[in-house]
Amino acid sequence: MAFRGLASVFIIMCFLCASEAQTEKEHVLTLGKSNFSQTIANHDFIVVEFYAPWCGHCQRLAPEYEKAASELSSHDPPIVLAKVDVNEEENRDLATEYKIQGFPTLKVLRNGGKIIQDYKGPREADGIISYLKKLLGPASAEITSPHDFSSKFDQKKISIVGIFTAFSGEEYENFKTVAETLRSDYEFYHTQDAKHLPRGEAVSKPTLRLLKPFDELFVDFQDFDVEAIKKFIETSSIPLVTIFDQNPENHPYVNKFFDSSDDKAMLFLNFTTDRNSFEPKYQDAAKFYKGKGISFLMGDAETSGNAFQYFGLSPDQAPVLVLQQANSNKYLKPHIQADEVASWLSDYKDGKLKPFIKSEPIPEVNDEPVKVVVTASLDDMVLKSGKNVLLEFYAPWCGHCKNLAPILEEVAVSFKDDADVLIAKLDATANDVPGDLFEVEGYPTLYFISASGNKSKYEGGRTKEDIIEFIQKNTGKTVEQASDVKDTIQSGTLGEESQKDEL
């Protein structure tokens, strides 16, 4: 009897605990392919986290995000936080649609998803709460006096002020549109009197005044076309020469530099020994090419290890000038002297320089089932081989690539007796990928290049059977599965592609 009584108490306690767990509410909405569009359409303001369960940063964000969601659910009006697991196969199209390149990525969606903004705020609960409350307020604050402006203006940030005779008309409406779109990146204000501002003379017609903590400190603009305003803000908010070092105040400008659509000139040198001799010459070059499609950065070689690795450089090549074109071609001048900067850039503009191509050495032995391709062998092994090639672009650190590797090996073994079919891989972190031929935004990325030279991105399933069926369909060939290969891979598809390393 005693045992039965204790058992009854235990069962009741478990039931109560289970009931409490069931009633505990999760405040972060879980979205997926089936409910994403409708949920977004029903909200004027919603924040969506795109995440992968295996991502350590996502795991650390999760409790903070839930805590913020709980607090913001009682805000007036409520602020809704949601999440999408892009590791799920059915959600991969959402990741592509919203251009997700890393985890976690947070997006702020307004007006039923018509306006999409990157979340660039803190990643802890209190910071998330205060940042989102600010985003719910007006996109632009009115300035009514010099004191009013000084109390709101942050001298360390870029601010855009719209100066109008009246808060109406096409210019004002276009200004509001841009402010709403870019509010997470800049501070926006509007006023009817330029005298309320600390710098510059009065204006006679609607004017945008961009104030910044570098270079000429402010610049005016009077074209109120929406796209023209955005371009003006983009180009004016990057320093004449962006500094890449350990100073955290420079980091936002480095991000803007790399987000720019301009060609990028990057000079890496030892700041302690070489900066004073190079900086005046480099500033002169930046002034000369301002507005001509080239942005300039000067980086401290001691803190630019990732940049050296990305471009395939070694520190002993410094001072080194790299020019990265928007189409991914690179030009390189190692051991450059300060007096050579202007002439080298002139030769580049005149088309006298040959692109620099980063490539691993062509392997002397290449006898594994999946063949190794490097940039230097891409033409011979893939593009001009006359074979049907399934080519994987991968990263050695990528978990999904590691999962795919044995599957591709089995596919390669299945086609081992077919001289017209090649399964190959290229390490896209150690080799340049021709941007005009292949679009590689994440890993693994698979392309099929037919014997006739036609290219297409492989978007099918990631099982052995899926890939073999695809090759058979596109080559008209059939294979017998190799009997001596043990199938250790479970059926199923891989999750979302891993993020490329950023500079």
Side-chain angles (χ1 to χ4, degrees), residues 98-160:
Y98 285 87
K99 300 178 181 179
I100 306 305
Q101 297 184 348
F103 308 125
T105 292
L106 281 74
K107 299 281 185 178
V108 178
L109 281 65
R110 299 174 181 270
N111 299 343
K114 295 178 182 177
I115 298 176
I116 304 171
Q117 300 166 315
D118 291 330
Y119 174 92
K120 298 183 178 180
R123 297 297 176 96
E124 42 80 27
D126 290 343
I128 294 171
I129 292 167
S130 60
Y131 183 84
L132 292 179
K133 285 182 177 179
K134 180 181 177 182
L135 287 186
L136 266 185
S140 177
E142 183 180 359
I143 300 300
T144 58
S145 69
H147 174 74
D148 186 26
F149 183 77
S150 63
S151 66
K152 297 174 180 176
F153 177 60
D154 186 339
Q155 295 184 7
K156 294 183 179 181
K157 294 183 179 180
I158 294 173
S159 299
I160 298 98

Side-chain angles (χ1 to χ4, degrees), residues 262-309:
D262 285 349
D263 292 348
K264 298 168 181 62
M266 294 163 281
L267 175 64
F268 298 103
L269 66 160
N270 187 311
F271 273 20
T272 302
T273 59
D274 298 327
R275 182 171 181 174
N276 289 340
S277 60
F278 272 89
E279 192 160 20
K281 301 286 187 180
Y282 203 57
Q283 286 276 351
D284 289 342
K287 291 175 184 176
F288 181 81
Y289 287 102
K290 184 176 181 180
K292 299 178 182 179
I294 304 179
S295 295
F296 287 76
L297 175 143
M298 187 164 64
D300 186 356
E302 291 186 3
T303 59
S304 302
N306 287 343
F308 279 92
Q309 182 178 3

Side-chain angles (χ1 to χ4, degrees), residues 86 94 125 157 159 213 269 295 304 307 348 367 397 432 449 454 497 500:
V86 292
L94 290 173
K157 294 183 179 180
S159 299
L269 66 160
S295 295
S304 302
Y348 161 72
D367 55 5
W397 44 259
D432 280 338
I449 302 92
N454 293 325
E497 298 170 343
K500 285 177 69 178

Side-chain angles (χ1 to χ4, degrees), residues 12 52 58 67 89 116 118 128 167 227 284 299 315 341 345 363 378-379 381 388 407 420 465 468 484 487 492:
I12 292 171
C58 303
K67 182 179 177 182
E89 179 68 21
I116 304 171
D118 291 330
I128 294 171
F167 298 142
E227 293 306 316
D284 289 342
V341 169
L345 290 170
L378 186 62
D379 268 357
M381 289 188 66
N388 299 289
I407 298 175
D420 293 331
E465 293 76 15
I468 289 176
D484 59 340
D487 185 0

